[in-house]
């Protein structure tokens, strides 16, 4: 679920290349933010790119935005150019700032073009022309926009289960308040495409971490019967010594990362009506979205981007 990028900054001028020469990616946005003419935001999807590393025999060209070991760097660069063109159209030049993600609660306040690579899982800025990019393939991307008169601010967070249990999103909103005096009552937050509870089985150690940190942990977990055709066909292969009725070998605990991050946004002071979920479960929609778990680790990366025009 992690995604580190050896190339952390990409400068692009939208419209420099002909549109015909660039793939036309689909971008997910929310209509609730259409009224913010100063805001750039969007979540990438999987189709319509230049990469074939993950498409197998189909040879389908896909939009991998991460510099992974399986894909060619040139393809990723073309994918990023196409994505930014679709995001910005023929608008003014912009600089994409990414971060080497490490499942932490480290947040950077970006005050200009970074002089050295950034490492962490959150970025905040109020500098026009900088686009903050978070890469995911199951983890939760969270974008926050804070209107503040002539000086709005934006933020992007990468929240896997470790970052979530460390409250990176809640901490991030607090950092926006402390650094830029942003009012959470006016903020708008977007939770992007990620793995949903239906597909996110976790172990006891993850459940224990969350129960030790959140009073509402009961609302984040659910026991789900994971249907396994092999176990259904050969039930005696998976016999257990436990008494009948006391153990279901196909039952597992599933975590709701979307709800966990939504609750953090609410606890940070953002009104419930200003928190929006964009996109579906990555694991359930692998033709349209990248899923690290759904593809057994062999997957490209999506990108969540936010910035000020």
């Amino acid at each position: 679920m992690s995604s580190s990028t050896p190339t952390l900054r990409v400068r692009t001028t939208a419209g420099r290349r002909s549109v015909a020469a660039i793939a036309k990616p689909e971008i997910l946005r929310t209509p609730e933010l259409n009224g913010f003419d100063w805001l750039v935001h969007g979540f990438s999807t999987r189709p319509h790119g230049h990469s074939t590393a993950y498409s197998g025999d189909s040879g389908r060209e896909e939009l991998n935005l991460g510099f992974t070991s399986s894909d060619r760097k040139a393809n990723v660069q073309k994918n990023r150019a196409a994505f930014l063109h679709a995001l910005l159209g023929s608008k003014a030049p912009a600089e994409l700032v990414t971060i080497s993600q490490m499942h932490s609660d480290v947040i950077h306040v970006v005050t200009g073009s970074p002089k050295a690579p950034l490492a962490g899982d959150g970025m905040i800025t109020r500098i026009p022309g900088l686009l903050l990019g978070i890469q995911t393939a199951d983890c939760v991307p969270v974008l926050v926009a804070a209107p503040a008169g002539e000086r709005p601010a934006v933020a992007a967070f990468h929240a896997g289960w470790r970052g979530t249990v460390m409250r990176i999103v809640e901490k991030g909103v607090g950092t926006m308040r402390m650094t830029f005096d942003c009012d959470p009552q006016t903020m708008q937050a977007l939770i992007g495409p990620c793995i949903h509870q239906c597909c996110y089985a976790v172990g006891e150690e993850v459940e224990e971490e969350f129960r030790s940190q959140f009073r509402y942990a009961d609302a984040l977990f659910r026991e789900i019967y994971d249907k396994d055709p092999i176990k259904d066909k050969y039930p005696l292969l998976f016999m257990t010594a436990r008494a009948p009725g006391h153990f279901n070998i196909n039952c597992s605990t599933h975590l709701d990362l979307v709800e966990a991050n939504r609750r953090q946004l609410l606890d940070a002071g953002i009104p419930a009506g200003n928190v929006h979920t964009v996109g579906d479960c990555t694991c359930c929609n692998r033709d349209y979205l990248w899923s690290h778990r759904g593809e057994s680790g062999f997957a490209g990366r999506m990108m969540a981007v936010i910035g000020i025009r």
Side-chain angles (χ1 to χ4, degrees), residues 143-163:
L143 304 178
V144 179
E150 297 180 357
R151 297 295 306 276
V154 294
F157 306 106
H158 165 256
W161 78 259
R162 293 179 179 86

Side-chain angles (χ1 to χ4, degrees), residues 30-95:
T30 180
E32 285 82 1
L33 297 187
N34 286 343
F36 298 95
D37 56 3
W38 54 268
L39 182 67
V40 178
H41 81 283
F43 301 93
S44 72
T45 53
R46 181 170 181 169
H48 310 307
H50 296 278
S51 298
T52 58
Y54 301 100
S55 56
D57 294 337
S58 71
R60 183 176 72 167
E61 293 186 325
E62 300 176 315
L63 192 76
N64 168 37
L65 297 177
F67 291 105
T68 62
S69 60
S70 300
D71 204 354
R72 295 176 60 237
K73 182 178 180 179
N75 287 340
V76 178
Q77 289 173 330
K78 289 192 290 185
N79 287 338
R80 290 190 174 194
F83 172 63
L84 293 178
H85 186 278
L87 189 69
L88 297 168
S90 58
K91 305 296 183 182
E95 179 176 355

Side-chain angles (χ1 to χ4, degrees), residues 231-242:
K231 293 176 181 178
D232 289 344
K233 187 173 182 179
Y234 304 105
L236 296 183
L237 292 178
F238 306 93
M239 289 184 64
T240 171
R242 298 197 182 197

Side-chain angles (χ1 to χ4, degrees), residues 113-269:
S113 181
K115 304 302 181 184
L118 302 177
D121 291 273
M123 293 179 286
I124 298 169
T125 193
R126 69 185 332 172
I127 305 300
L130 291 184
L131 302 178
L132 308 180
I134 291 294
Q135 297 178 66
T136 60
D138 274 340
C139 293
V140 185
V142 180
L143 304 178
V144 179
E150 297 180 357
R151 297 295 306 276
V154 294
F157 306 106
H158 165 256
W161 78 259
R162 293 179 179 86
T164 300
V165 84
M166 287 187 280
R167 289 184 166 89
I168 185 171
V169 170
E170 192 171 347
K171 177 182 175 181
V173 174
T175 303
M176 296 178 77
R177 296 181 64 180
M178 180 178 64
T179 306
F180 299 133
D181 196 26
C182 298
D183 181 2
Q185 288 293 311
T186 67
M187 292 181 184
Q188 297 281 340
L190 308 178
I191 299 173
C194 61
I195 195 166
H196 286 204
Q197 188 177 43
C198 53
C199 297
Y200 194 38
V202 297
E204 292 181 358
E205 72 284 355
V206 175
E207 184 175 2
E208 290 173 0
E209 288 274 1
F210 275 80
R211 292 194 180 281
S212 71
Q213 294 296 320
F214 302 105
R215 66 184 184 282
Y216 50 81
D218 285 347
L220 303 180
F221 292 95
R222 183 159 62 101
E223 296 296 319
I224 294 180
Y225 178 82
D226 296 317
K227 188 173 179 61
D228 187 330
I230 300 298
K231 293 176 181 178
D232 289 344
K233 187 173 182 179
Y234 304 105
L236 296 183
L237 292 178
F238 306 93
M239 289 184 64
T240 171
R242 298 197 182 197
H246 290 271
F247 181 68
N248 187 337
I249 199 165
N250 283 7
C251 192
S252 58
T253 300
H254 286 228
L255 171 61
D256 190 343
L257 279 179
V258 174
E259 177 63 13
N261 283 280
R262 189 187 75 88
R263 292 291 291 263
Q264 287 190 34
L265 292 164
L266 299 183
D267 287 347

